[in-house]
Amino acid sequence: MHPPDADSVLVRHGELGVKSDQVRRKMEHQLADNLRAMLDARDLSGDIDQRRNRLFIHTDHPEGVTAAAADTFGVTSASAVTTTDATLSAIADALATTAREQYDGGTFAVEARRAGPPAAHPFSSSDIESTGGTAVWETIAGLGGEPVVDLDDPDFELFVECRADKAYVFCEQRAGPGGLPLGTQRPVVALVSGGIDSPVAAWKLMKRGAPVIPVYVDLGDYGGPDHRARAVSTVKTLASYAPGHGLSLNVVDAGDVVADLTQNYGSLRMLVLRRFMLTVAETIAHDCDAVGIVTGEAIGQKSSQTSANIAVTDAVTTLPVYRPNLTVDKSEITNHARTIGTFEDSTIDTGCNRVAPSHPETNASLEAVRAAEPDDLFERAKICAQDRAVVPIES
């Protein structure tokens, strides 16, 4: 819902405002670039105007642009606005016009925020709310309604942001993902299986500004017929949040290694396989100038993810392994997957559970795993990583 004559989208960001001026300006420029890429990806036009702590997108497509901004990392919220003069009379007129078109019953409220030096306006935010509220009251009465103000939980709410030169009237604040603009942190390698957890973990690192380099380890015959397709689909969804960042899927053929481990190793094979995968990820990270690895693991969710076993698998790499799902319950991860749009593809049945042993080790020691794993495991991991296929992904 937006004002009938909305001409711009007001874009808000959060953490950028507390950075030093130099860092804030750099991040705001990156956010503006990401917004332009998002608009281009959705065939939307708009001119981006950068202000301190705010960006405005002047557009003829307010609904679509608001939705695009609300999908952009670093954006806390976005509103389609109508622009008017920063005077009480102009603001009151814009509020009345919006109420006339959008009010459909119930209680109402007007909330105003005034920014700028005291000398910029001969009125306060309370004056805006009072004068604007009166205009909305009279409009509702003129429509035959019975206006009732409710400042705590109104059915219909109008907002005003009054800055030094212009004022902006709107009737919704669409939540964005928050975080930092993508590209403001160094990249990380994301081990993506296509299951529910790993795409959510990758998305969370992207939210913190770190581009991800998705790596899919193909399990060969043990992956099931749709295992790779599932990974491609979930990465394609991640790419929709990162237009302009050239997301590609690195496909590593590990079918022979998985077959060897599954046929010849017992309760420790999942840990050996995880160490193989982390070595693959580390090799690719060095090739791509990435500074870490992200996985979807959560403590205790699987046998390989007990606190003891995570310590064993992490010992194989010198890079930090980021696990944003580490303390999150499965139900919460699943809900997050639904929210970001990866859940449906992540739940395709693939049969990859055949890799896991019937009685896996849950409290392994590093010495035992090192003694069990093949002598050439890490050399094979490096060769597999170097022979990977890079598949461009279109959002």
Side-chain angles (χ1 to χ4, degrees):
M1 184 168 61
H2 56 77
D5 50 356
D7 52 34
S8 300
V9 174
L10 167 59
V11 179
R12 306 172 189 86
H13 51 72
E15 292 183 49
L16 278 64
V18 302
K19 305 293 184 183
S20 68
D21 285 346
Q22 181 179 2
V23 172
R24 176 184 54 78
R25 285 193 295 269
K26 181 179 179 180
M27 288 190 171
E28 286 180 343
H29 286 309
Q30 182 67 63
L31 178 56
D33 289 345
N34 292 347
L35 285 167
R36 289 188 187 94
M38 188 69 80
L39 297 183
D40 289 344
R42 301 187 183 189
D43 294 323
L44 296 167
S45 60
D47 297 323
I48 299 177
D49 178 17
Q50 291 180 235
R51 310 276 187 92
R52 184 179 178 88
N53 296 329
R54 293 285 189 271
L55 288 89
F56 292 88
I57 306 175
H58 307 297
T59 181
D60 294 328
H61 313 284
E63 184 63 30
V65 170
T66 301
D71 282 338
T72 304
F73 295 115
V75 172
T76 56
S77 65
S79 301
V81 302
T82 184
T83 308
T84 189
D85 292 334
T87 66
L88 281 179
S89 60
I91 294 169
D93 287 345
L95 286 166
T97 298
T98 302
R100 190 174 299 112
E101 294 294 328
Q102 298 291 4
Y103 177 76
D104 60 357
T107 59
F108 81 95
V110 174
E111 180 180 324
R113 178 181 182 274
R114 190 189 68 84
H121 312 103
F123 52 82
S124 66
S125 57
S126 296
D127 293 331
I128 297 174
E129 292 170 347
S130 177
T131 303
T134 298
V136 173
W137 180 289
E138 293 174 349
T139 299
I140 293 173
L143 293 172
E146 297 183 1
V148 176
V149 175
D150 183 351
L151 301 180
D152 296 320
D153 186 24
D155 299 307
F156 177 70
E157 192 165 12
L158 289 171
F159 304 88
V160 179
E161 179 157 322
C162 183
R163 301 181 76 83
D165 54 345
K166 294 292 183 181
Y168 306 92
V169 172
F170 51 98
C171 41
E172 75 165 349
Q173 299 183 57
R174 193 171 305 185
L180 299 173
L182 189 63
T184 57
Q185 301 294 312
R186 293 280 295 280
V188 298
V189 166
L191 282 171
V192 177
S193 67
I196 293 174
D197 305 325
S198 56
V200 170
W203 187 95
K204 288 179 178 179
L205 263 291
M206 294 166 72
K207 175 182 173 179
R208 297 306 305 167
V212 298
I213 301 166
V215 173
Y216 164 68
V217 178
D218 194 321
L219 305 181
D221 293 340
Y222 288 85
D226 296 316
H227 198 258
R228 177 169 171 169
R230 185 177 74 170
V232 171
S233 294
T234 55
V235 171
K236 183 176 291 188
T237 300
L238 293 177
S240 70
Y241 291 94
H245 287 270
L247 209 64
S248 296
L249 178 62
N250 291 258
V251 179
V252 176
D253 183 359
D256 291 344
V257 174
V258 173
D260 182 27
L261 296 179
T262 303
Q263 294 166 15
N264 299 304
Y265 294 84
S267 63
L268 296 174
R269 67 173 177 247
M270 287 305 299
L271 300 183
V272 175
L273 179 58
R274 291 301 297 174
R275 284 164 61 84
F276 169 86
M277 290 181 173
L278 287 174
T279 303
V280 166
E282 182 179 57
T283 303
I284 295 173
H286 290 321
D287 286 348
C288 299
D289 198 28
V291 297
I293 301 166
V294 56
T295 79
E297 294 163 300
I299 286 182
Q301 188 183 122
K302 295 181 180 179
S303 62
S304 62
Q305 298 174 21
T306 64
S307 56
N309 285 351
I310 286 176
V312 168
T313 56
D314 273 14
V316 80
T317 179
T318 59
L319 291 178
V321 181
Y322 302 109
R323 295 181 173 91
N325 295 334
L326 189 68
T327 62
V328 181
D329 290 344
K330 184 70 174 187
S331 59
E332 187 176 342
I333 298 171
T334 299
N335 289 337
H336 199 143
R338 288 192 173 97
T339 298
I340 66 176
T342 58
F343 175 78
E344 185 174 347
D345 289 325
S346 292
T347 51
I348 296 172
D349 187 15
T350 64
C352 58
N353 58 340
R354 293 187 299 132
V355 179
S358 300
H359 302 287
E361 177 61 67
T362 60
N363 189 31
S365 69
L366 181 57
E367 292 74 16
V369 174
R370 282 175 172 168
E373 61 196 10
D375 293 338
D376 65 346
L377 181 71
F378 304 123
E379 184 61 30
R380 294 175 74 180
K382 293 175 183 177
I383 293 172
C384 288
Q386 291 163 358
D387 292 342
R388 68 189 182 277
V390 180
V391 181
I393 298 292
E394 295 183 4
S395 60

